[in-house]
Short mmCIF file of all heavy atoms in Angstrom, two decimals:
data_model
loop_
_atom_site.label_atom_id
_atom_site.label_comp_id
_atom_site.label_asym_id
_atom_site.label_seq_id
_atom_site.Cartn_x
_atom_site.Cartn_y
_atom_site.Cartn_z
N VAL A 1 141.26 38.68 -170.33
CA VAL A 1 142.34 37.92 -170.97
C VAL A 1 141.71 36.81 -171.85
O VAL A 1 140.80 36.11 -171.41
CB VAL A 1 143.25 37.27 -169.91
CG1 VAL A 1 144.33 36.46 -170.57
CG2 VAL A 1 143.87 38.36 -169.04
N ALA A 2 142.18 36.70 -173.08
CA ALA A 2 141.66 35.67 -173.98
C ALA A 2 141.98 34.29 -173.44
O ALA A 2 143.10 34.01 -173.02
CB ALA A 2 142.28 35.86 -175.38
N GLN A 3 140.97 33.40 -173.46
CA GLN A 3 141.14 32.06 -172.97
C GLN A 3 140.44 31.08 -173.90
O GLN A 3 139.42 31.42 -174.52
CB GLN A 3 140.46 31.88 -171.59
CG GLN A 3 141.06 32.66 -170.46
CD GLN A 3 140.23 32.46 -169.18
OE1 GLN A 3 139.79 33.40 -168.54
NE2 GLN A 3 140.02 31.19 -168.81
N PRO A 4 140.96 29.86 -174.01
CA PRO A 4 140.22 28.81 -174.74
C PRO A 4 138.86 28.60 -174.10
O PRO A 4 138.71 28.73 -172.88
CB PRO A 4 141.13 27.59 -174.61
CG PRO A 4 142.49 28.13 -174.32
CD PRO A 4 142.27 29.39 -173.52
N LEU A 5 137.86 28.27 -174.88
CA LEU A 5 136.51 28.15 -174.36
C LEU A 5 136.43 27.18 -173.18
O LEU A 5 135.75 27.45 -172.19
CB LEU A 5 135.56 27.69 -175.50
CG LEU A 5 134.10 27.47 -175.08
CD1 LEU A 5 133.48 28.77 -174.58
CD2 LEU A 5 133.31 26.92 -176.26
N GLY A 6 137.10 26.06 -173.30
CA GLY A 6 137.01 25.04 -172.25
C GLY A 6 137.50 25.49 -170.90
O GLY A 6 137.17 24.91 -169.87
N THR A 7 138.35 26.51 -170.87
CA THR A 7 138.88 27.02 -169.59
C THR A 7 138.04 28.14 -169.00
O THR A 7 138.33 28.60 -167.92
CB THR A 7 140.33 27.53 -169.79
OG1 THR A 7 140.30 28.73 -170.60
CG2 THR A 7 141.19 26.48 -170.45
N GLN A 8 136.99 28.56 -169.69
CA GLN A 8 136.13 29.64 -169.19
C GLN A 8 135.05 29.03 -168.29
O GLN A 8 133.90 28.88 -168.67
CB GLN A 8 135.55 30.43 -170.35
CG GLN A 8 136.61 31.11 -171.20
CD GLN A 8 136.01 31.89 -172.35
OE1 GLN A 8 135.10 32.68 -172.16
NE2 GLN A 8 136.55 31.70 -173.55
N VAL A 9 135.46 28.69 -167.07
CA VAL A 9 134.62 27.94 -166.15
C VAL A 9 133.30 28.63 -165.90
O VAL A 9 132.25 27.97 -165.73
CB VAL A 9 135.40 27.70 -164.84
CG1 VAL A 9 134.49 26.99 -163.82
CG2 VAL A 9 136.62 26.85 -165.12
N LEU A 10 133.26 29.95 -165.89
CA LEU A 10 132.02 30.67 -165.61
C LEU A 10 130.96 30.41 -166.67
O LEU A 10 129.79 30.73 -166.44
CB LEU A 10 132.28 32.19 -165.51
CG LEU A 10 133.12 32.68 -164.36
CD1 LEU A 10 133.19 34.19 -164.36
CD2 LEU A 10 132.58 32.19 -163.00
N LEU A 11 131.33 29.88 -167.81
CA LEU A 11 130.36 29.65 -168.90
C LEU A 11 129.84 28.22 -168.93
O LEU A 11 129.11 27.84 -169.87
CB LEU A 11 131.00 29.98 -170.24
CG LEU A 11 131.54 31.39 -170.40
CD1 LEU A 11 131.99 31.64 -171.85
CD2 LEU A 11 130.55 32.44 -169.97
N ARG A 12 130.11 27.41 -167.93
CA ARG A 12 129.70 26.02 -167.97
C ARG A 12 128.15 25.92 -167.81
O ARG A 12 127.50 26.85 -167.34
CB ARG A 12 130.39 25.21 -166.88
CG ARG A 12 129.94 25.50 -165.45
CD ARG A 12 130.86 24.80 -164.45
NE ARG A 12 130.39 24.95 -163.08
CZ ARG A 12 131.12 24.62 -162.01
NH1 ARG A 12 132.34 24.10 -162.16
NH2 ARG A 12 130.62 24.76 -160.79
N ASN A 13 127.68 24.77 -168.17
CA ASN A 13 126.27 24.37 -167.89
C ASN A 13 125.21 25.16 -168.66
O ASN A 13 124.06 25.18 -168.22
CB ASN A 13 125.98 24.47 -166.38
CG ASN A 13 126.20 23.17 -165.66
OD1 ASN A 13 126.27 22.14 -166.30
ND2 ASN A 13 126.32 23.23 -164.36
N ARG A 14 125.57 25.77 -169.78
CA ARG A 14 124.50 26.41 -170.56
C ARG A 14 124.89 26.54 -172.02
O ARG A 14 126.05 26.41 -172.39
CB ARG A 14 124.19 27.79 -169.98
CG ARG A 14 125.38 28.75 -169.79
CD ARG A 14 124.98 29.78 -168.74
NE ARG A 14 125.88 30.89 -168.61
CZ ARG A 14 126.95 30.87 -167.81
NH1 ARG A 14 127.29 29.77 -167.15
NH2 ARG A 14 127.71 31.94 -167.69
N GLN A 15 123.88 26.79 -172.84
CA GLN A 15 124.06 26.95 -174.26
C GLN A 15 124.10 28.45 -174.61
O GLN A 15 123.51 29.28 -173.92
CB GLN A 15 122.91 26.28 -175.02
CG GLN A 15 122.81 24.78 -174.82
CD GLN A 15 123.94 24.03 -175.56
OE1 GLN A 15 124.60 24.57 -176.42
NE2 GLN A 15 124.12 22.76 -175.18
N THR A 16 124.76 28.74 -175.74
CA THR A 16 124.91 30.13 -176.16
C THR A 16 124.27 30.33 -177.52
O THR A 16 124.44 29.52 -178.44
CB THR A 16 126.40 30.52 -176.24
OG1 THR A 16 126.98 30.43 -174.92
CG2 THR A 16 126.56 31.95 -176.76
N LEU A 17 123.50 31.43 -177.63
CA LEU A 17 122.90 31.84 -178.88
C LEU A 17 123.51 33.17 -179.31
O LEU A 17 123.59 34.10 -178.50
CB LEU A 17 121.40 32.01 -178.69
CG LEU A 17 120.59 32.55 -179.87
CD1 LEU A 17 120.59 31.56 -181.01
CD2 LEU A 17 119.16 32.88 -179.41
N LEU A 18 123.97 33.26 -180.55
CA LEU A 18 124.57 34.49 -181.07
C LEU A 18 123.48 35.33 -181.75
O LEU A 18 122.82 34.86 -182.68
CB LEU A 18 125.68 34.19 -182.06
CG LEU A 18 126.88 33.36 -181.50
CD1 LEU A 18 127.93 33.18 -182.60
CD2 LEU A 18 127.50 34.07 -180.28
N LEU A 19 123.33 36.58 -181.29
CA LEU A 19 122.36 37.49 -181.85
C LEU A 19 122.93 38.90 -181.93
O LEU A 19 123.60 39.37 -180.98
CB LEU A 19 121.08 37.55 -180.99
CG LEU A 19 120.17 36.34 -180.97
CD1 LEU A 19 119.00 36.60 -180.02
CD2 LEU A 19 119.64 36.02 -182.38
N ASP A 20 122.65 39.60 -183.01
CA ASP A 20 123.00 41.00 -183.14
C ASP A 20 121.80 41.80 -182.66
O ASP A 20 120.80 41.99 -183.38
CB ASP A 20 123.32 41.35 -184.59
CG ASP A 20 123.74 42.81 -184.76
OD1 ASP A 20 123.69 43.56 -183.77
OD2 ASP A 20 124.15 43.16 -185.87
N LEU A 21 121.84 42.27 -181.41
CA LEU A 21 120.69 42.89 -180.80
C LEU A 21 120.37 44.26 -181.38
O LEU A 21 119.35 44.89 -180.98
CB LEU A 21 120.89 42.98 -179.30
CG LEU A 21 121.01 41.61 -178.58
CD1 LEU A 21 121.19 41.81 -177.10
CD2 LEU A 21 119.79 40.76 -178.86
N LYS A 22 121.22 44.76 -182.27
CA LYS A 22 120.89 46.02 -182.95
C LYS A 22 119.96 45.79 -184.13
O LYS A 22 119.43 46.74 -184.71
CB LYS A 22 122.18 46.68 -183.43
CG LYS A 22 123.08 47.15 -182.26
CD LYS A 22 124.33 47.84 -182.76
CE LYS A 22 125.20 48.27 -181.60
NZ LYS A 22 126.45 48.93 -182.04
N VAL A 23 119.75 44.53 -184.48
CA VAL A 23 118.83 44.16 -185.54
C VAL A 23 117.44 43.97 -184.93
O VAL A 23 117.27 43.19 -183.98
CB VAL A 23 119.29 42.87 -186.25
CG1 VAL A 23 118.23 42.43 -187.26
CG2 VAL A 23 120.63 43.10 -186.90
N PRO A 24 116.42 44.68 -185.44
CA PRO A 24 115.08 44.59 -184.82
C PRO A 24 114.55 43.16 -184.69
O PRO A 24 113.94 42.81 -183.67
CB PRO A 24 114.21 45.41 -185.77
CG PRO A 24 115.18 46.43 -186.36
CD PRO A 24 116.47 45.69 -186.51
N ALA A 25 114.81 42.31 -185.68
CA ALA A 25 114.28 40.94 -185.62
C ALA A 25 114.95 40.14 -184.47
O ALA A 25 114.32 39.31 -183.84
CB ALA A 25 114.51 40.22 -186.95
N ALA A 26 116.24 40.43 -184.20
CA ALA A 26 116.92 39.78 -183.09
C ALA A 26 116.35 40.25 -181.75
O ALA A 26 116.15 39.49 -180.82
CB ALA A 26 118.43 40.03 -183.17
N ARG A 27 116.12 41.57 -181.70
CA ARG A 27 115.50 42.12 -180.45
C ARG A 27 114.12 41.50 -180.24
O ARG A 27 113.77 41.12 -179.11
CB ARG A 27 115.36 43.60 -180.60
CG ARG A 27 114.68 44.28 -179.42
CD ARG A 27 114.07 45.62 -179.83
NE ARG A 27 113.08 45.43 -180.89
CZ ARG A 27 112.76 46.36 -181.79
NH1 ARG A 27 113.42 47.51 -181.80
NH2 ARG A 27 111.84 46.12 -182.68
N ASP A 28 113.36 41.34 -181.31
CA ASP A 28 112.04 40.75 -181.19
C ASP A 28 112.11 39.29 -180.73
O ASP A 28 111.25 38.82 -179.97
CB ASP A 28 111.30 40.79 -182.54
CG ASP A 28 110.97 42.24 -182.95
OD1 ASP A 28 111.01 43.12 -182.09
OD2 ASP A 28 110.70 42.44 -184.15
N LEU A 29 113.17 38.57 -181.16
CA LEU A 29 113.34 37.18 -180.71
C LEU A 29 113.61 37.16 -179.21
O LEU A 29 113.06 36.28 -178.51
CB LEU A 29 114.49 36.53 -181.46
CG LEU A 29 114.91 35.14 -181.00
CD1 LEU A 29 113.72 34.18 -181.04
CD2 LEU A 29 116.06 34.58 -181.86
N VAL A 30 114.45 38.07 -178.73
CA VAL A 30 114.69 38.11 -177.28
C VAL A 30 113.41 38.36 -176.51
O VAL A 30 113.12 37.71 -175.50
CB VAL A 30 115.76 39.19 -176.93
CG1 VAL A 30 115.90 39.34 -175.40
CG2 VAL A 30 117.11 38.80 -177.53
N LEU A 31 112.61 39.30 -177.00
CA LEU A 31 111.34 39.59 -176.32
C LEU A 31 110.40 38.37 -176.34
O LEU A 31 109.67 38.10 -175.39
CB LEU A 31 110.66 40.80 -176.98
CG LEU A 31 111.38 42.13 -176.77
CD1 LEU A 31 110.71 43.24 -177.58
CD2 LEU A 31 111.42 42.51 -175.29
N ARG A 32 110.44 37.62 -177.43
CA ARG A 32 109.63 36.37 -177.50
C ARG A 32 110.12 35.38 -176.48
O ARG A 32 109.31 34.69 -175.82
CB ARG A 32 109.71 35.80 -178.90
CG ARG A 32 108.86 34.58 -179.08
CD ARG A 32 108.95 34.05 -180.49
NE ARG A 32 108.23 32.76 -180.65
CZ ARG A 32 108.26 32.07 -181.74
NH1 ARG A 32 108.93 32.46 -182.82
NH2 ARG A 32 107.57 30.91 -181.79
N LEU A 33 111.43 35.27 -176.32
CA LEU A 33 111.98 34.33 -175.32
C LEU A 33 111.63 34.77 -173.91
O LEU A 33 111.41 33.95 -173.02
CB LEU A 33 113.50 34.23 -175.50
CG LEU A 33 113.99 33.64 -176.80
CD1 LEU A 33 115.51 33.82 -176.95
CD2 LEU A 33 113.64 32.16 -176.86
N VAL A 34 111.55 36.11 -173.71
CA VAL A 34 111.22 36.62 -172.39
C VAL A 34 109.82 36.16 -171.96
O VAL A 34 109.56 35.97 -170.77
CB VAL A 34 111.28 38.17 -172.42
CG1 VAL A 34 110.47 38.80 -171.29
CG2 VAL A 34 112.73 38.64 -172.37
N ASP A 35 108.95 35.92 -172.93
CA ASP A 35 107.59 35.49 -172.62
C ASP A 35 107.58 34.26 -171.71
O ASP A 35 106.66 34.09 -170.86
CB ASP A 35 106.81 35.19 -173.89
CG ASP A 35 106.53 36.42 -174.72
OD1 ASP A 35 106.66 37.54 -174.18
OD2 ASP A 35 106.17 36.24 -175.90
N ASP A 36 108.55 33.37 -171.90
CA ASP A 36 108.55 32.09 -171.14
C ASP A 36 109.67 32.00 -170.12
O ASP A 36 109.96 30.91 -169.61
CB ASP A 36 108.69 30.92 -172.15
CG ASP A 36 107.46 30.81 -173.06
OD1 ASP A 36 106.35 30.98 -172.57
OD2 ASP A 36 107.66 30.56 -174.25
N ALA A 37 110.27 33.11 -169.79
CA ALA A 37 111.40 33.11 -168.85
C ALA A 37 110.95 33.49 -167.45
O ALA A 37 110.02 34.28 -167.28
CB ALA A 37 112.50 34.07 -169.33
N ASP A 38 111.63 32.97 -166.46
CA ASP A 38 111.42 33.37 -165.10
C ASP A 38 112.26 34.64 -164.77
O ASP A 38 111.86 35.45 -163.95
CB ASP A 38 111.80 32.28 -164.12
CG ASP A 38 110.89 31.08 -164.22
OD1 ASP A 38 109.74 31.19 -163.79
OD2 ASP A 38 111.35 30.04 -164.75
N ALA A 39 113.43 34.73 -165.41
CA ALA A 39 114.31 35.84 -165.10
C ALA A 39 115.19 36.16 -166.30
O ALA A 39 115.45 35.32 -167.17
CB ALA A 39 115.19 35.53 -163.88
N LEU A 40 115.64 37.39 -166.34
CA LEU A 40 116.69 37.85 -167.28
C LEU A 40 117.75 38.51 -166.45
O LEU A 40 117.43 39.29 -165.53
CB LEU A 40 116.09 38.83 -168.30
CG LEU A 40 117.06 39.39 -169.35
CD1 LEU A 40 116.30 39.71 -170.66
CD2 LEU A 40 117.74 40.68 -168.86
N VAL A 41 119.03 38.20 -166.72
CA VAL A 41 120.11 38.84 -166.00
C VAL A 41 121.06 39.53 -166.99
O VAL A 41 121.34 38.99 -168.07
CB VAL A 41 120.89 37.86 -165.10
CG1 VAL A 41 120.00 37.28 -164.02
CG2 VAL A 41 121.52 36.72 -165.92
N GLU A 42 121.51 40.72 -166.64
CA GLU A 42 122.42 41.46 -167.49
C GLU A 42 123.36 42.29 -166.62
O GLU A 42 123.03 42.65 -165.48
CB GLU A 42 121.65 42.33 -168.48
CG GLU A 42 120.69 43.33 -167.86
CD GLU A 42 121.30 44.73 -167.71
OE1 GLU A 42 122.47 44.91 -168.08
OE2 GLU A 42 120.59 45.62 -167.22
N GLY A 43 124.52 42.63 -167.18
CA GLY A 43 125.52 43.38 -166.43
C GLY A 43 126.10 44.56 -167.18
O GLY A 43 127.29 44.86 -167.04
#
């Protein structure tokens, strides 16, 4: 269900980066970020 951003409680406490992961350069950026990450989570 569409909700205003402020009511999406599950999204609190973090920043969002918009990337088109079908673009190779965006995929490469994610892999670069992975270098310094402890974990990646996906669903």
Side-chain angles (χ1 to χ4, degrees):
V1 179
Q3 295 177 233
L5 178 62
T7 68
Q8 298 181 48
V9 175
L10 293 184
L11 303 187
R12 72 188 185 190
N13 266 344
R14 52 203 190 274
Q15 297 288 344
T16 297
L17 175 67
L18 299 182
L19 289 178
D20 183 354
L21 297 180
K22 294 180 180 180
V23 175
R27 177 203 60 207
D28 293 343
L29 173 56
V30 173
L31 291 174
R32 182 180 176 186
L33 294 170
V34 160
D35 292 345
D36 295 319
D38 294 289
L40 179 150
V41 296
E42 58 97 359

